[in-house]
Amino acid sequence: VCCLLALINIPSATAFNALISLPTIALYISYGIPILFILIRKLQGRHPNYGPFKLGRWGVPVNIFSLLYIVYILIFLPFPTVLPVAASTVNYAGPLVGAVICIAIGDWFISGKKRFRVPKSAMSLN
């Protein structure tokens, strides 16, 4: 399957660039969401339960820097890779991410709410 996906580059470099950008954008979004919510909790004074690793007073600045970096990447990653921009050279990763998010939200409202079960932690079973 990976070899077949790599062959997309032969007929269309645009499709290949979108195929590479799409998971990268999704990865940064998935990193940004928990960082944002942990930062909000820290700023409200409701610190989460920490594990063995803690940044101490550097936690909030590192979280803010990481969010700024993620926003920077999410703005510039979907840009076209060549100039002049034409329909054949546009990076379609941004609209693809939007389509995937819309499909996921639609699936949630159609059938996801019925299928989802909240996981029980081992601590709540005691």
Side-chain angles (χ1 to χ4, degrees), residues 17-35:
N17 288 333
L19 186 70
I20 297 300
S21 297
L22 180 67
T24 308
I25 291 171
L27 182 74
Y28 278 107
I29 290 172
S30 70
Y31 284 164
I33 292 170
I35 293 171

Side-chain angles (χ1 to χ4, degrees), residues 5 15 19 26-27 31 36 46 53 67 99 101 104 107-108 112-113:
L5 288 174
L19 186 70
L27 182 74
Y31 284 164
L36 174 67
R46 300 181 310 128
F53 183 76
L67 283 176
I101 290 172
D107 176 61
W108 170 256
K113 287 194 280 186

